[in-house]
Amino acid sequence: MPADTFSAKVTMKVGSRKSQLALVQTRYVISEIKKIFPEHQFEVVEMSTLGDNVLDKALSKIGEKSLFTKELEVALEKGDVDFVVHSMKDLPTTLPPGMVIGAVLEREDPRDAVIIKSSSTSKCLDDLPNGSVIGTSSLRRAAQLKVAYPNLEFQDVRGNLNTRIRKLDDPTGPYSALILAVAGVARLGWSDRISQYLEGDLCMHAVGQGALAVECRDEDRETLAMLANLHHRDTVLATIAERSFMKTLEGGCSVPVGVNTKVLDNGVSLHGGVWSIDGQTSLKAKKIVNFVNDDDLDGEPSPPKRCKSKVNFAAVFAELLPHSELIAAEKCGRYLATELIGRGADKILKEAKEANEVK
């Protein structure tokens, strides 16, 4: 959309968490918008969320789905901000009424990484002595890695990225290593601290991990039109598939669910899995759904079609992308989840949730 067609407000207000990583991500999104709308001005409105404030409990035990988003969404609903920048993995698959994801930016590396204590001579998890403590706030990571490394101990670690790495490097601290998302470490310029990248066959990543999502009000068509310029096609399709998978499973941070996704020349490939808390029980499967030719909401064949309604896919609104591709991505996640449920995934996740609540 040409910049001169956007009726500029004096200043747009952008909601963000207060952490260093959140602000880096928010400022990056603003810089991408300003490449298209250079005359537009933005003000960052910083907020703390429940997940930021409750640091004495594991994330999976706080009992709230919108741990890092609720306060931001309240401000968005009230009109205190025009849009909000999130790490996509923090966003529930169902948003509050009237909210939608208006942009999904190009994904960073979605893998998890091992960060070794700065004073250690170890280079990877295999090098660590028996009984070494690995810090992670993720049930998904712990469940998968407990199977591969039964000689290691996995403990919860809370705080923002800076705080967790400080806890790791504390000479008197318990941690020998942390498992963190590569994307967050890279965005803060700390890639040199990464000792090991965990490939998908060892540790499937979280739904939406590595992607940035911009949330706005679904009736704010002007902001939606502006944000649409930021959509990255392959990331949109991959994350729709992943979010559809999670949504159908009715999963969240209180259960171990992981994915690996590829956007192919003519379709979407999704590999997904669910685990028990101890990692001993798991189900995995893979699904490929091909794009069909020329499918759009109006049913009028003429490529490329754009979506001409307010329909969204796992809360992602991407009207500039072919409707057939969005449908295929959503189906891929839904079909894979349905297959796993048919094999008993719902039972595994129910037991995992119950085990986590009493743990």
Side-chain angles (χ1 to χ4, degrees):
M1 182 179 67
D4 58 6
T5 66
F6 187 76
S7 59
K9 297 180 180 179
V10 176
T11 300
M12 294 193 81
K13 293 188 175 182
V14 187
S16 173
R17 291 168 59 199
K18 292 182 176 180
S19 73
Q20 181 184 356
L21 176 58
L23 292 171
V24 165
Q25 294 176 163
T26 297
R27 289 169 185 146
Y28 171 74
V29 170
I30 290 172
S31 72
E32 292 298 293
I33 296 174
K34 286 183 74 69
K35 289 178 182 178
I36 306 167
F37 304 99
E39 303 305 316
H40 218 65
Q41 300 301 311
F42 299 89
E43 175 189 343
V44 178
V45 180
E46 301 177 21
M47 304 176 213
S48 292
T49 65
L50 179 63
D52 296 313
N53 294 329
V54 179
L55 298 175
D56 59 347
K57 292 183 180 179
L59 293 175
S60 59
K61 291 182 177 295
I62 297 176
E64 170 66 56
K65 283 189 175 182
S66 306
L67 289 177
F68 295 108
T69 62
K70 186 173 182 179
E71 291 77 5
L72 296 163
E73 289 171 333
V74 169
L76 187 57
E77 183 180 19
K78 290 166 62 179
D80 293 340
V81 296
D82 295 294
F83 59 87
V84 175
V85 178
H86 302 284
S87 293
M88 196 169 199
K89 67 184 178 64
D90 292 336
L91 269 178
T93 53
T94 299
L95 300 184
M99 303 299 159
V100 72
I101 297 170
V104 180
L105 284 75
E106 185 172 3
R107 190 175 219 164
E108 268 277 5
D109 189 332
R111 292 176 296 176
D112 290 308
V114 179
I115 315 295
I116 301 285
K117 197 181 199 78
S118 59
S119 59
S120 174
T121 58
S122 299
K123 300 298 182 185
C124 62
L125 293 178
D126 287 312
D127 294 344
L128 293 173
N130 289 346
S132 294
V133 176
I134 312 302
T136 175
S137 57
S138 165
L139 294 177
R140 170 189 57 81
R141 293 168 181 150
Q144 294 180 81
L145 294 175
K146 282 176 183 177
V147 177
Y149 298 96
N151 59 313
L152 303 178
E153 183 180 345
F154 294 85
Q155 290 185 11
D156 190 68
V157 59
R158 289 296 317 280
N160 60 38
L161 215 52
N162 313 56
T163 300
R164 280 179 277 172
I165 289 181
R166 188 166 61 248
K167 289 179 179 179
L168 168 67
D169 291 338
D170 182 349
T172 64
Y175 305 106
S176 297
L178 300 178
I179 311 297
L180 300 171
V182 170
V185 176
R187 287 182 181 127
L188 288 180
W190 298 341
S191 295
D192 60 334
R193 286 299 308 267
I194 296 177
S195 303
Q196 178 184 1
Y197 292 86
L198 300 179
E199 301 299 335
D201 56 351
L202 178 61
C203 188
M204 290 188 188
H205 61 76
V207 166
Q209 186 159 302
L212 297 181
V214 186
E215 184 180 11
C216 68
R217 295 178 291 275
D218 65 3
E219 293 185 353
D220 187 352
R221 305 299 289 185
E222 197 167 75
T223 297
L224 277 169
M226 177 190 73
L227 294 176
N229 294 277
L230 304 184
H231 271 312
H232 181 258
R233 172 187 173 268
D234 283 10
T235 307
V236 169
L237 297 176
T239 54
I240 285 175
E242 294 170 12
R243 287 171 61 82
S244 174
F245 176 66
M246 176 76 89
K247 184 176 182 178
T248 306
L249 288 173
E250 297 184 353
C253 69
S254 62
V255 291
V257 174
V259 293
N260 287 320
T261 315
K262 290 183 180 179
V263 177
L264 311 173
D265 289 342
N266 192 41
V268 179
S269 170
L270 177 63
H271 189 190
V274 301
W275 289 262
S276 60
I277 293 294
D278 61 8
Q280 294 302 309
T281 304
S282 66
L283 283 174
K284 301 176 189 176
K286 184 176 180 179
K287 183 69 65 177
I288 296 176
V289 174
N290 291 325
F291 304 138
V292 296
N293 292 328
D294 248 320
D295 181 18
D296 130 306
L297 289 179
D298 294 341
E300 300 171 357
S302 67
K305 285 291 184 180
R306 57 180 279 181
C307 183
K308 298 176 182 175
S309 84
K310 291 186 179 180
V311 170
N312 65 72
F313 298 82
V316 177
F317 180 74
E319 66 175 353
L320 299 183
L321 295 182
H323 189 63
S324 59
E325 295 183 358
L326 301 174
I327 284 180
E330 189 276 333
K331 283 182 176 179
C332 188
R334 179 160 45 90
Y335 290 173
L336 180 60
T338 301
E339 177 183 333
L340 288 181
I341 289 170
R343 292 168 51 191
D346 52 342
K347 183 174 183 290
I348 293 174
L349 294 179
K350 180 176 182 290
E351 291 175 352
K353 188 172 183 179
E354 291 171 351
N356 178 60
E357 288 172 351
V358 300
K359 189 178 176 183

